[in-house]
Amino acid sequence: MLTIKQFLFYCHFLLPKREWLLAIVVMLFSSYTISAQNDKTISGVVTSEDSMPIPGVNVIVKGSKTVAVTGFNGEYEIKASPTDILVFSYIGSVNKEITVGNQTKINISLKEDVNKLDEVVVIGYGTQRKSDLSGSVGVVNMESAKKIVTYDSAKMLQGQVAGVTVQSSGEPGGFVNVKIRGLSSFTNNNPLFVIDGMIVDNPYDFAPGDIESIQVLKDASSAAIYGVRGANGVVIITTKKGKTGKLSVKYKSLVGFQNVARTWDVTDRVGYQTITSAAEKNAGLSVAPGNDPTNPLYIKNVDTNWQDAAYETGVIENHSLAFNGGAEELAYNLNMDYFKNSSYIKSPQEYERMSMNLNLNGKKGDFKYGTKIGFTQSGKEIFNSYVGESAIAALVGAIPTMPVYDANRLGGYGGTDNLTQRAISLNVIGFNNLITNTGKRDRFIGDVWGEYEIVKGLKYKIDASFDRLDYQNRKYVPQSDLGWYYITTKEEASLDVSTGNVTKTFFNNILTYSLDIDKHKFDVLGGLVQERSDSYDHWSRGVGYDYGEISKLQYADNTSTGESNVTITGKSYISRINYSFDDRYLLQANFRQDKTSLFSEKFNTANNYSFSGAWKLSNEKFIHLPEWVSNVKLRGSYGKLGNNTIPPYFFATTINSFAGYDFNNALAPGTTVVASLDPNVRWEDVKTSDVAVEIGMFNNDLQFTAEYFVKNSTNLLVDVPLPYSTGAFPASIRTNAGAMRNKGFEFSTTYNNNKNAFKYSISANIGTLKNEVLQIGLNGNPIYGAASKTIVGRSIGEIFAYETDGIFQNAGEIASSPTQTNAGVGDLKFKDINGDGKISDLDRTFQGVSIPKYSYGMNLSGSYKNWDFSMFWQGSGGNKVFNSLYRNLMAGQYGNHSTDMLNYWTPTNTNTNVPRPIIGDPNANGRDSNRFIQNGDYLKLQTMEIGYQIPVPANSLIQKAKVYVNGQNLLTISKYDTGDPDFNSNDGSFSRGYDGGSFPNPRTISLGLEVNF
């Protein structure tokens, strides 16, 4: 937990305390005006091309600190001399410069900047004009992305950039999976996140509302500057910086309500008892007393709809206050943000976060400088799952004859009884309300940098950053009785507490040199990057608590404790050269050498590189394009990247020197291998090739990009079996013995029409992906996952299952069919794929890829006068999903059933594809089969928003005010009708298409307010 004293120390670390406090005072209370004796007052109105007044335009006397800002009606007033030049600047518009001369009234109209090719985008350790990019860089439309109500900026990427896929769930504070151009590894596929130049593991500690821009580096050319961290792509996030001008204050507030968009159709008490009783009779068993109307223990007064009992309206809220302004010497942006999300499941679960981000930047002569201070405090009540079970699957499959509450059971919640119901069924509501499971995080980030121009074009930049995370996790499982199998005794009641911290420091020294010689332009970068990561964890466990006893470690009957301390260091040399000739031919080369303590000394250094080039055909004089073609560019790239995401000390074999063994009936001391590790383990390598064409039409109002890529991954870490004689557990060793290829096409287009009162914009993207495994281990042994199989020559994690062939209608069919052990009339028939006359594991076959073959997104937005409207559609397809939760509900056992199960086979109901229910399932009707495989295609209306700009009086304190209503996850079009096809598979590479009951994405309706002062 970060204390106030530590926080002030960190501030002192970044700037001397006196100067830091002075900066805050200056930021909030200073204004900058300098006037000469011959100044005169200039006034006027700034409007748009359609004559609408523009508030918030900066009017600056060029080369001075004199600044004015237009009011709500576009009016301004500023002092200037006749020789001064006024610069009018506004985000999204082309800057305009006017010489004062004899004028005292200057009215101007700002033209919207529709030429996005001149937009400057952030790349690794620098910036570049979008038109000069020779690598594959996806630029996120932030206006659209910010309409996604989320706590995690990674979620904002969904559907915004071609080739980027996002999987998430509705769990408050849950993890978001991001994949860029498919899977590059068997172990870790998460991209690298860089926030304001600082490398971070995940972005969920940062407020999305404070983001200025997001760029996605997709190929080696753009990501090679990050070396062994760039194999999975890089997401660069830039937060808002201070802008020269008077103090502006922005307040945003949003409150939303969430509920489950889609529920499962399961049986009520009568349906449940009917199916379960039939299953028992088919197995030759007596009917459970609780389901037998003739038994005194028959349950008829309990009929729990567990989804109705558990689901409620969740609340999401986000409030932020931002201050921006300053002068050339010191500009500032301070953002304070509060976010809270309570669950739509009746439990203590919620996520709450408070964050502050301060950016200071300025310039004095040839010296530029800046600093970033960020602090976040968050807490999460974690949703609990029983070991090996999905909590959502347990909730949906809970039997209706189990009550939610039962005062006669320890803890006060209902459960099942072995004698009465014979069902093992978890009371998820009681389970989560009895357990206390909290996680708290305090995170401080500090960065300070300075850049000095030594001579014209030659700049030296020094950058030091500090990232400190303190965490505390606490889980208390009390003594309780939730029914048969789910009874926690005093000896099992436990308290687990862990506290720790992770501290990361980066120190960058970078030289850049820019040189223009006639038509030749050079930009060179070279630098040294040093990093260090220190992590410490201390954990304690207490067991043995009486019900109601104080949940502290000192009251446990037995306690245990442990700790770990890990340090990782790294040093990297980076370089890049950009060359441009006559703004027609562009070349770029990157090189980075990484050295890290993660690997043995023999293999701790890696070299990564890339080359790319572009040709601006539209700038060639000998190529005559139609007038309506504004821009044409061809580009291509090739490069090598790496992946170093392995645990520390993963090259050092672990042994136990205190192992004993039986020698002549006597215990003798000995040593044994605990875990066998490969001392030669090294980086995973990824090589990418990329070609693309970019076309701009109608003065770049319409832009189109088509791209093709191939990404080859080699030296992938994979588990190779070992002989049991090695004594290692598990009996495998992880080594570099895998290879994989991803390839695909990506298309994106944007059209903007801003010439009339009704303005609109349309953007769309689609990406295709084909994955192929090229090598697995030394012998190509397949890897089996949940209802999947991975082999060389096919996609990773393909669905692998039996195929059904109807239902046995009589004993004659069973006798004439391939041998199927324990099959009975009313059971499923399975196809004999290999033709050996019997049904066995050899008859399983591939049923479809689990990775979507294509994914897409489309943004539609428009505005008319004070109204604006937007829609965002997103989807994917071409993949199959194994619906394990549906399989559970169709098992015909003691758990609850899908209503589809009511159509089960009987001698009088033979026209059905649902087999007879039978306890024990001797024929394995519930085995992995195409019966539970569904089409994963979907199209979602992810967001829709309607906003209204409130007219405010002239000269009011309020410059701008907007109210809006936002809807999220409003509509799903899919054949996947028994769940949410947009589920989070927890990045199971080999089980990626397995839906075991993901936390459902909620439907959210929000009301928002934005006010500029």
Side-chain angles (χ1 to χ4, degrees):
M1 184 69 67
L2 191 67
T3 64
I4 296 298
K5 184 177 180 180
Q6 289 173 316
F7 176 70
L8 291 175
F9 171 77
Y10 295 146
C11 296
H12 183 81
F13 169 78
L14 294 171
L15 285 172
K17 190 173 182 181
R18 183 178 60 186
E19 284 77 359
W20 182 79
L21 293 174
L22 178 61
I24 298 295
V25 173
V26 170
M27 179 189 67
L28 295 176
F29 300 107
S30 294
S31 61
Y32 305 88
T33 54
I34 297 179
S35 58
Q37 291 182 353
N38 60 345
D39 283 353
K40 58 183 177 180
T41 300
I42 310 297
S43 62
V45 176
V46 181
T47 59
S48 61
E49 292 178 280
D50 54 358
S51 302
M52 296 292 292
I54 307 178
V57 177
N58 283 329
V59 185
I60 306 169
V61 176
K62 191 173 184 178
S64 78
K65 304 173 185 175
T66 305
V67 179
V69 180
T70 59
F72 181 78
N73 292 322
E75 299 175 341
Y76 73 93
E77 190 174 279
I78 193 170
K79 289 187 177 295
S81 65
T83 58
D84 284 336
I85 298 174
L86 298 184
V87 180
F88 298 83
S89 64
Y90 185 69
I91 297 176
S93 299
V94 179
N95 288 356
K96 200 164 190 177
E97 297 186 2
I98 301 292
T99 302
V100 173
N102 296 324
Q103 304 175 85
T104 58
K105 190 82 171 179
I106 301 178
N107 297 327
I108 69 158
S109 174
L110 289 181
K111 182 179 180 181
E112 186 168 2
D113 186 6
V114 295
N115 188 4
K116 297 297 183 180
L117 296 178
D118 287 331
E119 176 184 356
V120 175
V121 298
V122 180
I123 58 175
Y125 301 97
T127 59
Q128 196 171 9
R129 281 197 316 166
K130 188 177 180 181
S131 61
D132 292 341
L133 291 174
S134 55
S136 183
V137 179
V139 180
V140 176
N141 183 338
M142 292 308 300
E143 184 178 353
S144 170
K146 284 191 175 182
K147 292 176 181 178
I148 299 175
V149 180
T150 179
Y151 61 92
D152 192 335
S153 53
K155 175 70 174 176
M156 299 166 67
L157 294 171
Q158 189 169 31
Q160 300 293 334
V161 176
V164 179
T165 58
V166 177
Q167 289 178 307
S168 63
S169 74
E171 181 181 0
F175 186 71
V176 176
N177 283 316
V178 179
K179 299 292 171 285
I180 299 175
R181 290 183 168 176
L183 304 177
S184 303
S185 171
F186 291 147
T187 55
N188 185 289
N189 290 283
N190 297 316
L192 176 70
F193 287 90
V194 180
I195 300 181
D196 290 335
M198 300 174 59
I199 295 175
V200 300
D201 293 326
N202 295 296
Y204 48 72
D205 280 323
F206 306 90
D210 195 37
I211 294 176
E212 184 79 39
S213 67
I214 300 179
Q215 280 82 38
V216 182
L217 312 185
K218 297 190 286 185
D219 68 341
S221 172
S222 56
I225 198 72
Y226 290 104
V228 297
R229 292 171 177 252
N232 299 325
V234 182
V235 180
I236 297 182
I237 298 174
T238 304
T239 60
K240 295 177 180 178
K241 303 297 187 293
K243 294 181 173 60
T244 303
K246 291 183 179 180
L247 171 66
S248 67
V249 181
K250 295 183 179 180
Y251 173 70
K252 295 182 180 180
S253 179
L254 176 142
V255 177
F257 304 94
Q258 297 181 321
N259 56 41
V260 176
R262 181 182 295 185
T263 58
W264 288 78
D265 293 327
V266 295
T267 55
D268 59 8
R269 177 186 65 84
V270 174
Y272 167 74
Q273 290 176 330
T274 300
I275 295 172
T276 303
S277 297
E280 290 175 311
K281 292 175 182 178
N282 288 334
L285 302 174
S286 62
V287 175
N291 298 331
D292 185 359
T294 65
N295 195 294
L297 298 177
Y298 177 62
I299 300 173
K300 60 181 179 181
N301 58 347
V302 178
D303 191 0
T304 306
N305 185 318
W306 283 95
Q307 293 176 89
D308 285 351
Y311 295 148
E312 60 182 2
T313 300
V315 178
I316 187 169
E317 56 181 307
N318 190 197
H319 312 281
S320 66
L321 188 63
F323 303 87
N324 192 292
E328 187 177 42
E329 285 85 355
L330 183 64
Y332 54 85
N333 185 83
L334 172 65
N335 185 80
M336 295 176 288
D337 188 276
Y338 174 76
F339 182 94
K340 184 176 181 180
N341 186 189
S342 61
S343 177
Y344 50 80
I345 294 182
K346 291 179 182 176
S347 70
Q349 186 197 28
E350 68 177 20
Y351 175 74
E352 187 175 25
R353 180 183 65 205
M354 293 174 287
S355 61
M356 180 276 291
N357 186 53
L358 171 65
N359 284 321
L360 299 173
N361 51 277
K363 179 181 179 181
K364 188 72 173 178
D366 294 326
F367 184 57
K368 294 181 180 180
Y369 43 86
T371 187
K372 176 187 180 70
I373 301 171
F375 178 72
T376 298
Q377 185 175 76
S378 62
K380 174 176 166 56
E381 291 279 353
I382 300 169
F383 196 71
N384 302 286
S385 299
Y386 198 80
V387 179
E389 293 183 349
S390 159
I392 298 300
L395 173 69
V396 175
I399 65 173
T401 57
M402 176 175 62
V404 177
Y405 304 100
D406 187 347
N408 296 319
R409 292 186 181 273
L410 186 64
Y413 289 93
T416 60
D417 181 72
N418 183 19
L419 173 64
T420 307
Q421 295 138 310
R422 300 178 185 167
I424 298 175
S425 189
L426 177 63
N427 184 333
V428 175
I429 298 174
F431 187 69
N432 273 275
N433 281 280
L434 288 171
I435 294 176
T436 302
N437 192 355
T438 60
K440 296 181 179 180
R441 296 166 60 93
D442 287 347
R443 189 167 187 178
F444 174 83
I445 286 183
D447 179 66
V448 59
W449 62 271
E451 182 182 81
Y452 181 69
E453 188 168 15
I454 302 171
V455 296
K456 185 178 180 181
L458 179 62
K459 299 177 181 178
Y460 167 67
K461 182 177 182 180
I462 185 171
D463 188 341
S465 61
F466 177 81
D467 183 353
R468 166 87 178 208
L469 169 67
D470 291 271
Y471 60 86
Q472 176 182 319
N473 300 315
R474 181 183 180 86
K475 182 178 181 180
Y476 177 62
V477 181
Q479 185 180 354
S480 63
D481 177 7
L482 289 174
W484 179 41
Y485 190 80
Y486 298 107
I487 296 175
T488 304
T489 64
K490 174 185 176 180
E491 292 74 23
E492 295 170 330
S494 61
L495 173 64
D496 290 279
V497 177
S498 65
T499 58
N501 58 75
V502 180
T503 303
K504 296 182 180 180
T505 55
F506 293 86
F507 195 74
N508 302 339
N509 289 275
I510 298 175
L511 274 173
T512 57
Y513 184 60
S514 298
L515 176 66
D516 292 350
I517 305 175
D518 195 16
K519 296 181 179 181
H520 304 274
K521 182 178 180 180
F522 298 88
D523 287 297
V524 183
L525 176 147
L528 170 65
V529 177
Q530 296 170 286
E531 60 182 285
R532 178 186 175 106
S533 174
D534 295 278
S535 59
Y536 174 78
D537 186 69
H538 180 279
W539 66 92
S540 298
R541 178 176 174 83
V543 294
Y545 290 91
D546 285 315
Y547 182 76
E549 190 171 7
I550 298 174
S551 57
K552 299 292 183 181
L553 287 171
Q554 60 265 38
Y555 297 108
D557 292 345
N558 296 288
T559 59
S560 58
T561 188
E563 64 178 352
S564 68
N565 201 335
V566 176
T567 297
I568 302 171
T569 60
K571 179 187 291 186
S572 304
Y573 297 96
I574 63 174
S575 61
R576 177 171 60 219
I577 181 170
N578 285 306
Y579 169 72
S580 171
F581 175 72
D582 197 26
D583 199 26
R584 288 183 289 160
Y585 310 114
L586 308 170
L587 295 174
Q588 184 185 91
N590 289 277
F591 177 79
R592 175 165 175 150
Q593 182 182 84
D594 290 291
K595 187 173 183 179
T596 178
S597 62
L598 281 170
F599 301 92
S600 64
E601 186 173 352
K602 184 179 178 181
F603 296 100
N604 67 355
T605 302
N607 298 320
N608 293 288
Y609 56 85
S610 71
F611 306 95
S612 62
W615 179 23
K616 296 184 179 180
L617 284 75
S618 49
N619 288 356
E620 290 285 4
K621 294 180 181 179
F622 69 87
I623 296 179
H624 303 286
L625 298 172
E627 186 178 346
W628 50 271
V629 177
S630 312
N631 169 71
V632 178
K633 182 174 75 173
L634 299 177
R635 57 177 170 83
S637 69
Y638 174 80
K640 173 178 170 290
L641 297 163
N643 189 343
N644 69 343
T645 51
I646 67 167
Y649 316 123
F650 206 65
F651 57 87
T653 299
T654 305
I655 63 173
N656 180 4
S657 59
F658 299 99
Y661 64 100
D662 187 359
F663 185 75
N664 290 333
N665 296 321
L667 185 65
T671 298
T672 186
V673 174
V674 176
S676 185
L677 301 176
D678 180 7
N680 298 321
V681 69
R682 57 193 184 277
W683 324 85
E684 295 182 336
D685 295 323
V686 176
K687 295 179 180 178
T688 72
S689 302
D690 189 284
V691 292
V693 58
E694 299 176 3
I695 303 175
M697 293 165 279
F698 310 113
N699 197 27
N700 288 319
D701 285 344
L702 176 62
Q703 297 181 35
F704 173 78
T705 300
E707 199 159 356
Y708 175 72
F709 72 90
V710 178
K711 182 165 66 170
N712 291 308
S713 304
T714 57
N715 293 323
L716 299 183
L717 292 172
V718 63
D719 291 328
V720 175
L722 289 175
Y724 288 105
S725 59
T726 62
F729 181 81
S732 63
I733 186 170
R734 184 165 293 183
T735 187
N736 301 90
M740 185 163 45
R741 175 185 296 127
N742 293 277
K743 60 183 179 180
F745 291 91
E746 295 171 356
F747 305 94
S748 60
T749 185
T750 302
Y751 178 70
N752 295 293
N753 189 324
N754 299 292
K755 299 178 175 60
N756 304 303
F758 173 65
K759 300 177 174 61
Y760 62 91
S761 175
I762 303 172
S763 64
N765 68 80
I766 184 170
T768 69
L769 182 67
K770 182 179 181 181
N771 174 272
E772 182 182 359
V773 176
L774 305 177
Q775 179 188 1
I776 304 176
L778 304 177
N779 301 314
N781 294 327
I783 298 175
Y784 291 91
S788 73
K789 182 180 180 180
T790 299
I791 65 171
V792 173
R794 302 189 73 99
S795 174
I796 185 173
E798 279 198 46
I799 305 297
F800 190 67
Y802 294 89
E803 289 191 8
T804 58
D805 193 22
I807 292 178
F808 291 116
Q809 300 294 335
N810 51 61
E813 284 191 13
I814 298 176
S816 62
S817 298
T819 302
Q820 194 167 309
T821 306
N822 297 324
V825 177
D827 284 333
L828 285 173
K829 290 192 292 185
F830 295 97
K831 291 183 179 181
D832 182 16
I833 299 298
N834 67 348
D836 63 357
K838 60 181 179 180
I839 304 301
S840 67
D841 285 348
L842 299 177
D843 294 307
R844 289 182 294 175
T845 184
F846 288 102
Q847 301 287 333
V849 298
S850 59
I851 300 174
K853 294 181 179 178
Y854 55 89
S855 58
Y856 54 91
M858 181 171 63
N859 284 293
L860 307 172
S861 63
S863 64
Y864 179 74
K865 295 185 177 180
N866 290 6
W867 292 92
D868 62 79
F869 170 80
S870 66
M871 284 196 304
F872 168 48
W873 295 83
Q874 179 269 330
S876 66
N879 61 302
K880 299 293 184 180
V881 175
F882 188 88
N883 196 326
S884 176
L885 179 50
Y886 183 64
R887 188 249 300 275
N888 295 346
L889 296 174
M890 295 296 289
Q893 301 300 298
Y894 283 112
N896 203 6
H897 318 286
S898 167
T899 53
D900 292 348
M901 195 66 195
L902 291 169
N903 189 32
Y904 63 86
W905 185 94
T906 68
T908 59
N909 183 40
T910 59
N911 187 22
T912 178
N913 61 356
V914 180
R916 62 171 181 161
I918 178 171
I919 297 300
D921 192 14
N923 185 56
N925 292 322
R927 71 183 76 183
D928 296 346
S929 73
N930 61 343
R931 184 175 168 221
F932 312 113
I933 298 171
Q934 294 180 294
N935 193 319
D937 298 10
Y938 74 89
L939 171 62
K940 277 195 174 189
L941 177 55
Q942 289 284 15
T943 60
M944 184 169 70
E945 184 174 296
I946 300 175
Y948 178 69
Q949 202 83 25
I950 303 174
V952 295
N955 302 320
S956 171
L957 176 65
I958 298 176
Q959 290 188 346
K960 185 178 180 181
K962 177 184 175 180
V963 293
Y964 61 91
V965 58
N966 179 289
Q968 194 160 309
N969 193 22
L970 296 176
L971 174 66
T972 300
I973 302 172
S974 175
K975 294 181 180 179
Y976 193 79
D977 57 357
T978 53
D980 188 347
D982 182 21
F983 65 91
N984 191 338
S985 61
N986 296 319
D987 197 28
S989 298
F990 300 110
S991 306
R992 192 170 178 80
Y994 191 81
D995 184 2
S998 176
F999 214 96
N1001 290 293
R1003 178 180 291 116
T1004 305
I1005 304 297
S1006 306
L1007 300 174
L1009 170 68
E1010 297 180 5
V1011 182
N1012 294 5
F1013 298 93

